[in-house]
Amino acid sequence: MRAVGLHEDVIPVTTRVFATACVLVRPEGEAFCIDSPVFPDELEILPAIATQAGFEVVGLLATHADWDHLLARYSFPDAPLGAAESSAARLVNEPGRAQLKLREFDDELYVTRPGPLSLPGPQRLDVPGFIDVGSASIELHPADGHTVDGMALWIPWASVLVVGDYLSPVEIPMISEGGSVSAYLATLRRLEPLVSEAEWVVPGHGGPIDGTRALAILREDRAYLEALPDAPLPLARRTKEQRRIHGENLKRL
Ligand SMILES: [Zn+2]
């Protein structure tokens, strides 16, 4: 697991599997944990990383309701989870789904957990909207299309944009169940001005990238989606796994 400081108030942590991003952010004293690492040892050490950096985590946030972004309760069992209204609705409509997906992953990789994943009803956040702490404010922007739900978080004082499963340097746009190409393209349109302003962008998978690179990926992703079904894969993302994802995307057109 890799932790890098992008700003004194923003620490992205990249996990070993799926290169999933978890971001610790500290607006005025209190801190939040956005999304989560995946492996038990990573989840176990996360509170120490936060404490060492002087981040007192009081709440969890999820960019969307896919299981691999929801595991931070293992690290901070008492912290409440906040999510977009759309993600909260998904968690209610798909009870036990995250736990089931987690169990499938753990069974496949022979991973054992200290206990089952507890996900009490999340606090519903208005998106678009803001999380205000003191005079600091995190902007919430709708980010659906990959799935039916989601939000991107713009941290203006640090010029960092946390996007969830968009703009990944390792993964092509993935249209999952409930997602759609048109919603995905609309999200890219909404993100574009923020990406142009961002010093750093933290995608859900692949580690932090600078704003210039993120903008290039945004354009590649838009070109890919607009050219479906006969779209060539972005040059740097043509692995066997990406071809498989492309095949899945075609089924959802
Ligand atoms: Zn994901």
Side-chain angles (χ1 to χ4, degrees):
M1 187 160 78
R2 232 168 350 114
V4 286
L6 294 186
H7 178 274
E8 59 177 352
D9 294 327
V10 184
I11 305 175
V13 177
T14 310
T15 65
R16 299 195 297 277
V17 68
F18 309 135
T20 307
C22 161
V23 181
L24 300 170
V25 56
R26 178 176 57 184
E28 289 208 4
E30 297 185 336
F32 296 97
C33 173
I34 308 170
D35 291 349
S36 63
V38 174
F39 284 126
D41 61 319
E42 299 174 326
L43 289 156
E44 196 184 319
I45 203 167
L46 187 62
I49 292 174
T51 305
Q52 224 166 52
F55 283 47
E56 192 205 331
V57 173
V58 298
L60 313 177
L61 299 166
T63 56
H64 62 300
D66 280 354
W67 72 270
D68 54 321
H69 300 258
L70 293 173
L71 307 181
R73 298 262 312 176
Y74 280 116
S75 305
F76 307 102
D78 301 322
L81 171 69
E85 172 77 42
S86 56
S87 298
R90 228 185 108 188
L91 288 169
V92 170
N93 295 336
E94 304 173 347
R97 165 118 174 155
Q99 284 87 349
L100 176 72
K101 289 286 192 185
L102 173 65
R103 207 155 47 238
E104 284 174 4
F105 171 85
D106 288 348
D107 285 351
E108 191 181 337
L109 295 185
Y110 310 150
V111 172
T112 50
R113 307 262 165 198
L117 171 64
S118 93
L119 277 179
Q123 191 185 328
R124 292 158 184 256
L125 304 172
D126 285 331
V127 181
F130 300 90
I131 297 172
D132 293 317
V133 181
S135 64
S137 189
I138 299 174
E139 287 177 26
L140 309 177
H141 296 268
D144 54 323
H146 160 58
T147 52
V148 72
D149 64 312
M151 64 177 179
L153 299 95
W154 171 238
I155 305 164
W157 73 93
S159 290
V160 175
L161 179 66
V162 181
V163 288
D165 285 2
Y166 301 88
L167 309 180
S168 169
V170 295
E171 197 171 81
I172 63 167
M174 187 197 287
I175 311 297
S176 295
E177 194 183 327
S180 80
V181 171
S182 58
Y184 203 117
L185 284 167
T187 288
L188 292 184
R189 251 190 319 274
R190 271 192 305 273
L191 292 179
E192 195 165 15
L194 296 169
V195 174
S196 304
E197 234 184 290
E199 202 159 325
W200 291 98
V201 172
V202 187
H205 302 276
I209 48 179
D210 65 45
T212 310
R213 181 147 178 235
L215 203 55
I217 290 171
L218 188 148
R219 292 184 179 136
E220 281 183 1
D221 287 355
R222 178 157 50 208
Y224 165 77
L225 291 165
E226 285 177 343
L228 284 173
D230 300 316
L233 299 197
L235 212 49
R237 290 173 281 169
R238 288 189 176 168
T239 59
K240 188 173 164 206
E241 176 61 9
Q242 299 314 302
R243 285 179 206 286
R244 186 192 67 76
I245 293 171
H246 174 62
E248 294 293 313
N249 286 344
L250 293 182
K251 288 186 207 162
R252 298 198 201 278
L253 287 182

